[in-house]
Amino acid sequence: MEKLSSIKETNILTKKSVDHISDLIGDSLSSIGKSRRDVLQIRYRMEDLILDVCERFEEKITYTLEIGERFRRPFIRFTYQGESFNPMDDSDDSVISQNWSNKLMADSGLSPTWVYRNDKNIIQLNLERRSLGMFASVILAFALALTIGFLGMFISSDIKNAIAEYFLKPVQSIYLGILSTFAGLMIFFSIVCGIFEMGDMSFFSKIGKMMIGRFLRNILLFSIFYCGLAFLFFPLNYSGGMRHGGSSSQIVDMFTNMFPTNVVDPFLTGNTMQIVLLGVVIGILILVIGESGSKTVRAFASEFNSITQKAIGWICKFVPVLIFVTFIQIIWEGNLSTVAGIWKLLLFAISVSTIGLAFVIIKVSITKKVPLGLLLKKLFPTFFLCVSTASSAAAFSLSIENGEKLLGIDRRLLGVALPIGNVIYMGAVPAECIGVSFYMANTYGVKVNIVWVLLAIILAFVLTVAVPPMPGAGVTILGALFLQLGLPIEGMVVAIAFELLFDFFCTGADNTFILVELINQGDKSDMLDLEVLRKKM
């Protein structure tokens, strides 16, 4: 991405100047290599908001437009003085998913945010930071670690042991400790905010109950299904545990341990299950109280949710450092063969998620009487865009457009369900969780029993639902899996490399899972046009 040229101008806001501002924004976005679709989407969104401001103040205010970079992150900022006026505010109760949708797009640099500060209204769009990119950074980390690792052949064992003991292992331990701390907070606040941002109990009873219930049910079924297939790919070292009722007591202990003794311990110990349960309980309490009685709590939770997600984003920028120090240790300890088996993990995750996706697509084809080839053709554009960008947000507008025009899903349902589905309904993510769990247990000879398998299924379900789709989310999921299932930490480097490779296919599959499910939900809610769905392209 090229550097964004700096622009700053102040003038009277008129309808003519709105066109001028729109042209500047479009040219600036094109100059840094944004796709035509993103340029048009951002430009028209900003133009629409600024035009609302112009009409609200009747061309009697002064504006300041700033375009530039801050810490290598391009931004567009439009400032206007006067009374507080948020052109993004929509009081229409039918648009209940506004917070979900705006947050998803804003986090990905595709939609602006508004704030009123120091008697100034500020509309700001923060674009994707110019950087080498996570994938390229990871490849570089692998290359450097491989080089230094093999240079270790010319270093004495005592020196290598000292380097590992006083540098490599401490760096690894500190990083994972920080990640674990913020991951727990992120999961907690994501769940709390996700629940109360659904709106209120009347919305949940009317629409959300069926929608979210189906999303959660399907994710649980996928987790169980993928687990069954995992036994075929990765034979485990099964330790049994059936004697003297040991297995039954362990299962009971597993469920009773889900309930924390206090609200602090889950975060200190990194107990994901207890953190999730706390988040669900508090989120439902806030939802029941209602917005009027919990404004302060909601604002506090939303701010902390943003802070923890940004913190995780920063922490995950140092994933290449973790890969570097861990991969060197793997080479020096003679365990390089464990990395070479990553293809098995990729084969499993892609294969089983494809089987799951094929099942739901074929089912829709049969029940809705749509030719399979036609349905695949209609689903392909959004799948391809997600796979090529590894971003569900980049395909958000196309999913809305194709969902309505090609699949016949009512736009109102898409506006509510698509943002929520992007957060909690990711049908391929359980394949990643189950695959990593079984592959690591198989590779490192971890002894497992029925309780371990049940816990793997529950974690696949919980982490898929609890962790939001954001940079670093995959690493957060992996950290929780390794901690809860007792997997050896040296396997993290393989798991992270796998997650980065699988993410491209996973994003496309997840988005397709959502669209197919919305066809079913639209049919049940009388919000599906079957004629449009069956119409040839």
Side-chain angles (χ1 to χ4, degrees), residues 496-527:
I496 291 173
F498 154 74
E499 196 275 333
L500 291 169
L501 294 172
F502 180 62
D503 189 42
F504 291 90
F505 175 84
C506 183
T507 305
D510 288 339
N511 194 76
T512 308
F513 270 113
I514 296 171
L515 289 175
V516 174
E517 173 57 25
L518 292 189
I519 293 175
N520 290 319
Q521 294 196 19
D523 192 31
K524 291 181 179 294
S525 307
D526 197 25
M527 302 179 78

Side-chain angles (χ1 to χ4, degrees), residues 238-251 448-451:
Y238 191 70
S239 62
M242 298 298 291
R243 295 179 183 176
H244 308 298
S247 180
S248 300
S249 62
Q250 285 179 324
I251 294 174
V448 305
N449 54 24
I450 187 63
V451 174

Side-chain angles (χ1 to χ4, degrees), residues 284-347:
I284 291 176
L285 285 174
I286 295 174
L287 193 65
V288 170
I289 293 171
E291 187 173 358
S292 60
S294 60
K295 282 186 177 180
T296 303
V297 177
R298 290 179 182 229
F300 173 83
S302 295
E303 286 299 317
F304 265 80
N305 187 36
S306 298
I307 290 171
T308 54
Q309 290 194 16
K310 287 179 181 178
I312 285 290
W314 277 97
I315 291 168
C316 289
K317 291 181 185 299
F318 293 92
V319 162
V321 176
L322 175 65
I323 289 176
F324 175 74
V325 299
T326 306
F327 196 40
I328 289 177
Q329 293 178 76
I330 288 175
I331 295 173
W332 285 355
E333 292 170 3
N335 296 324
L336 194 58
S337 59
T338 59
V339 180
I342 194 173
W343 68 269
K344 297 179 184 178
L345 193 48
L346 277 171
L347 177 63

